[in-house]
Each structure stands twice: as structure tokens, then as C-alpha cells.
Amino acid sequence: MAMSSHQDTHILACTHDRLSGQPDQVIFRIFSFLGANETARLGVVSKRFNHLCISSPYLSFIADFDSGSDHSCLRTRYNNFCSYVNKVLRWREKTGGRLQRLLVHWPCKQRRFDIGETAVSSWVSIATKCGVEELDMLLHVEPGRGYSLPGCIYKCESLRALKLNLQMGKFCFQILGFDWLKELWLDSVTIGDKYFGQKTDLCKSLKRLILENVDGINDLSIKSSSLEKLEISDCRFANSFFGGNFNISSSSFKVLTISGCQFKASWQVNLNCPSVENLTVQDSEFGRVFVCKIDCESLETLQVCGSHFSAAFQLQVDCPSVIKAMISNCRFAEVCFLNIKSSFLDGLTLSECKFSPLESESQYSRPKKEIKAGPGPYRRIIIKAENLETLDITSSDAYSYEFPLSISAPNLKDLWWTGDPVDFSYLKQGMLSLVNARIDIKPSCQHRSEESDRRCKHSKSLIYCAAKFLQCLSEARFLRINTWPIENDSPIVFEKLQNLVLLIKGSFADQVPIIASFLKGLPNLRRLIIRCDQKSHELSDPNR
């Protein structure tokens, strides 16, 4: 018997509708990944879905009354929205259904509809009675007017995570504490309370603190026994004449991330956290002296990337467990002092760091009292790491030669260097433990003729830098190097060098005299490999 087209459609829909046959808990889990509009559209599919949307432990309400010019239409949308939210939450309060997450966003800025604080506070009060665990609030707060969370939030024993966005409004953090809160996320708020960090100590169970797009931070001192992770992104730290302090002292603290922040004043960061494992500073700006001191036992990874230091920068690390440290894509204007004390430090990488050109101020500026760099020019990079074994440096900046590099690494064994050379004239001692060196350096400035190259002051400085650099490598046993650094009149003796790999760019025949002069200083050389990037036709004919 043939079935009608209607029956065919019904059977096909039942065959492919896998969502309706799932248990309520599975559907609720799916709802947790949907936005407010998607959930509302599902509610009109069927009576069962409408009931599931209302009884779901994941509720999302987003108000939008700023679009459109028809005020009567906006008033209707406003009334319908408030009526719907009240209906859902009152029903949840009546039935006693628990809430996993409540999201309420009220970004409306029109005065006739800007009653978000009152309405949202009443809804949040109901949510706390329903045992809400995650609370996400967005409100519009007028500039100059502070906002305080309803007291029921501070007393809610079920609350585990709170996210608050005030669209740069001022947040008044009360000294009531969140005894059960584990995660606090402040987004687009203004904090004018210098005791904010100390108030977070009252959150006895707080494990994760996120500050995103926060303004007005004057001081951040945290002594928490529970905090494990602090994430700071796109924040602006206030400009104070006396500078600012960023102190964290916690036995449970593990991860600190600073990203896209602006430090206008002189700031000193002190981390006294024995359990910290990762420290990352990236894409931030430091207008004045920045000092970071770390004293811990478990730190393994240290990264400073993409940041601009307009004044002196000092990184002092006393962590026996540090394995890798990386400074990459940063811009320095004054001294950069890296002092790393670690028994297991395997590698330090300096990659693509830029150096601001000299302006009116002298290179021998008076050192700041916060930075004890010792004698010598103030514009330089200082590296102190007694147990460092591998140093990897990559630079492609024209001002590298203006920044002397001082290295105190008596146990350095491997050195990888590519890019522009620097001034090694302030190197106190050679690399006595050096075993392997892989060098591919060449100045970034290019000249059309040898005559113009000899007249260039930049090239003259770089020739001196290269000669000093070769003296530092004289203890190496294995050397891989391009021919530019060895183009000098006085060859350097490498007593211990046994294996040499020469990298030749251009014509091999033109560089034979340079290579022959360099080989005179290698009395114990056993193996020589010459690699050319192009074929030399002058040497291909055996009769020549």
C-alpha cells in the first residue's frame, strides 16, 4: 500500500530528528552552547522544547533597545522582554529549579529604557535563591556613577563564577567577600580603589582572577591562600608620581599572564610564589622603569613577547626550576638587564628585538636607582645566567650595533646567532665553556659598491663588532659560520676548533683569499665543509 506524501514527510522527519529523542540532560547541555536568540527560536518548535527552554539550567537574556527609530516598537520590545524574563524566573523560583548559569546583558543606553540596574538586580536576587553557580552580568553605568553588586550575590553560597561588565562604569567592590566564589572576571570596568587587590584576599576560595579592559588600577597587592591564576589583558594602570606596586604573595599561585596592558608610571612587580609555573608578558607598553623580581621554586617557562619598554627594564629571576626563557619581538630604549638564577636553565632566546634609535639624550645617561647595571653605557643588554647552556639570538634591526651586549654565562656551551651583529666590547670574559657555535650574521645596511661600504660609519662599527665577536668564539670546537664576520685583516686563532662549516653566499672564487686567511688561525682543524648557495663556474673547469 502506497503512503501519502504527508506520511512520507512525517516519517522522514522522525528519522532525521535526533535531538527530540535525547534525554533532557543532554538537551540542556546543548543549550549551554547556544546564545539567547538561538534558544528562543528553539522554544517555538514544540511544547516540549518550550518547556525545556524555560526549565533549562542555562538561561540567557540579552536586551537590545538602542536600535530602531520607532519608539512605540521599542517600548513594545522592552515590555515583552521584561515580561518574559520575569515570567521565566518567577516560574523557576516557584518550582525550585536550580540554575547552572544565568546570563543577563542590558547594554541599553537610552534613558527611557536604562533601568537595567533595578531590573537586573531583582532577577539576580531570584537567581541566587535558585542556587545559581555561574553569573554573567553586563550593565550600562553612567560615567562618574559607581555600581555595587546586590548584597545577595556576596552571600550566595552556590555561586562559583562571576563575570561583570559595566561598559567602563565604576565598580565599587564591597568588603563583604565571596566565601565560595572560585572565578571572578571583571570586563570593561573602572577601578579607583587602591585596596582592590587586598579586598580580593577576602575571597577565601578564589582560584582564578581575570581583569580585562580595566582602567584605574593604582596598586595591585594580593596575598591570597587560594588564588592560582591571574590574567590581565588590555588594562591601563594609572599614572602615579610615586609609581605603582604589583605584589603577589601566594603559596597556591601558578600562572600570571599580562597582555596588551599599559603601564604609564614606574612599576615594580614582585612575585613571591613558590608554586608559580608560568609567567607571560606580551604586547604591553611600559612608559617608565619596569622592574620584575621573581622568587619561586616551580617556574619552568618565562616569556616576554611583543612589548615596548620606553625606559629601563630589569628582570630578576631567582628560580632553580626555570628551564626556558624567551625575550622576543620587544623594543628597548634603555638598559635591558636579565638576571636569571636557575640550576636547570637550558636555553635563553633573544629573538627579533628592536632597539630605539638615539635621540637627543646621551648614550651615557645617568642610571636609574632601581636598575643596578654597573659601569658602562646605559643603553645596553646585560645577561647574567651562571647555569645557562644554550643562547639563541635572532636580530634584524639596524640599531643593534648601538647596544653593547654583556654576557656573563660561564657555562655557556651552545650559541646560535642570526641577523645583525652587536657590540661585544663590554664582554668581561670570553665564552670559556663554549663548544658549539652556529653563526649567520650580516649587517642589514646594503651598499652598491665596496667604496661606499668602506665610507659607511655603520659598516665600520659593524666590522669592529664582528672582530670582537670572533674573539669571544675562540674557545669553540665546532663552528658553523658565514664568511662576512671573517672579512678582517687580522685573523684570530682558534686553538680548539676541530670542525668548521663555512656558508658562502655569492661567488666562491671571490672569497677564496678570505677563507685562506681565516684558515691560518686554525692549527687543530680536522674537518672542513664549505657550502655555497650558488654554483661557482670559475672552479668547475679543471684546466683553470
Side-chain angles (χ1 to χ4, degrees), residues 434-459:
L434 188 65
V435 177
N436 302 306
R438 179 179 289 180
I439 311 300
D440 189 359
I441 58 176
K442 191 175 183 179
S444 55
C445 63
Q446 302 292 334
H447 301 278
R448 296 182 178 179
S449 63
E450 296 182 1
E451 182 66 23
S452 60
D453 184 57
R454 285 193 294 267
R455 293 179 180 179
C456 178
K457 294 182 180 180
H458 188 181
S459 295

Side-chain angles (χ1 to χ4, degrees), residues 8-234:
D8 292 339
T9 304
H10 178 73
I11 294 176
L12 184 63
C14 295
T15 304
H16 290 81
D17 184 8
R18 299 181 179 178
L19 183 60
S20 298
Q22 299 295 328
D24 292 354
Q25 296 301 324
V26 175
I27 297 180
F28 288 155
R29 183 59 179 169
I30 296 174
F31 283 178
S32 67
F33 299 99
L34 300 180
N37 295 332
E38 290 81 3
T39 305
R41 283 195 291 267
L42 274 176
V44 299
V45 172
S46 64
K47 291 183 178 180
R48 178 171 182 257
F49 272 34
N50 181 44
H51 176 75
L52 290 174
C53 291
I54 296 177
S55 58
S56 171
Y58 305 94
L59 296 181
S60 299
F61 305 108
I62 301 178
D64 182 13
F65 309 119
D66 284 344
S67 60
S69 57
D70 188 350
H71 295 290
S72 60
C73 179
L74 293 179
R75 171 62 63 178
T76 301
R77 290 165 55 189
Y78 162 77
N79 291 332
N80 291 340
F81 177 82
C82 293
S83 176
Y84 175 74
V85 177
N86 283 325
K87 176 183 176 182
V88 172
L89 290 178
R90 293 296 180 186
W91 182 84
R92 296 299 295 269
E93 181 183 15
K94 181 179 180 180
T95 58
R98 293 186 62 84
L99 276 176
Q100 178 73 24
R101 183 185 66 207
L102 174 64
L103 182 147
V104 180
H105 286 187
W106 193 293
C108 181
K109 298 180 181 180
Q110 294 191 25
R111 291 186 178 275
R112 66 178 64 196
F113 303 125
D114 188 14
I115 61 170
E117 294 184 29
T118 304
V120 172
S121 295
S122 64
W123 298 335
V124 168
S125 177
I126 298 176
T128 57
K129 297 177 182 179
C130 296
V132 64
E133 296 184 13
E134 303 174 22
L135 190 58
D136 187 338
M137 302 170 57
L138 185 149
L139 300 173
H140 172 67
V141 178
E142 292 290 340
R145 186 164 59 91
Y147 173 77
S148 299
L149 291 169
C152 60
I153 296 182
Y154 292 96
K155 301 176 182 179
C156 182
E157 298 183 6
S158 61
L159 190 62
R160 297 293 180 267
L162 171 64
K163 181 177 181 179
L164 181 64
N165 185 325
L166 299 181
Q167 297 185 310
M168 300 314 301
K170 186 177 181 181
F171 176 48
C172 301
F173 194 60
Q174 300 181 14
I175 311 180
L176 294 176
F178 295 96
D179 291 342
W180 301 274
L181 192 68
K182 293 185 177 181
E183 180 176 321
L184 176 60
W185 188 337
L186 299 181
D187 183 5
S188 301
V189 303
T190 300
I191 298 177
D193 189 353
K194 65 178 181 179
Y195 299 107
F196 169 75
Q198 299 178 17
K199 290 181 179 179
T200 59
D201 297 341
L202 300 176
C203 305
K204 301 177 181 179
S205 302
L206 187 65
K207 294 183 178 297
R208 186 183 182 191
L209 175 61
I210 303 175
L211 303 178
E212 181 177 351
N213 193 25
V214 175
D215 200 359
I217 301 178
N218 293 306
D219 189 276
L220 193 59
S221 298
I222 300 176
K223 296 181 180 179
S224 173
S225 58
S226 60
L227 187 64
E228 296 181 357
K229 190 173 185 179
L230 174 60
E231 301 175 39
I232 307 175
S233 62
D234 301 319

Side-chain angles (χ1 to χ4, degrees), residues 267-326:
W267 277 79
Q268 180 166 333
V269 176
N270 295 306
L271 298 181
N272 186 8
C273 308
S275 301
V276 68
E277 298 175 354
N278 186 290
L279 171 62
T280 302
V281 179
Q282 60 184 15
D283 303 327
S284 298
E285 297 182 7
F286 302 87
R288 297 184 183 178
V289 177
F290 182 71
V291 179
C292 182
K293 297 181 179 180
I294 307 172
D295 186 4
C296 62
E297 299 176 359
S298 303
L299 183 64
E300 296 182 357
T301 305
L302 174 64
Q303 298 184 52
V304 180
C305 308
S307 298
H308 182 199
F309 299 88
S310 301
F313 166 57
Q314 178 178 355
L315 179 62
Q316 185 173 337
V317 181
D318 189 0
C319 305
S321 58
V322 173
I323 300 176
K324 297 289 183 180
M326 175 182 290

Side-chain angles (χ1 to χ4, degrees), residues 241-278:
F241 178 79
F242 299 100
N245 291 317
F246 189 146
N247 303 318
I248 301 180
S249 179
S250 173
S251 58
S252 59
F253 192 72
K254 295 182 179 180
V255 178
L256 172 61
T257 303
I258 301 175
S259 175
C261 296
Q262 296 180 6
F263 294 81
K264 298 179 181 180
S266 298
W267 277 79
Q268 180 166 333
V269 176
N270 295 306
L271 298 181
N272 186 8
C273 308
S275 301
V276 68
E277 298 175 354
N278 186 290

Side-chain angles (χ1 to χ4, degrees), residues 477-479 497-502 519 522 524-531:
R477 297 180 181 179
F478 303 90
L479 177 62
L497 190 62
Q498 299 177 0
N499 295 272
L500 173 65
V501 178
L502 284 176
L519 293 178
L522 313 178
N524 297 311
L525 185 65
R526 296 181 181 179
R527 186 181 183 185
L528 172 62
I529 299 176
I530 300 178
R531 295 180 178 176

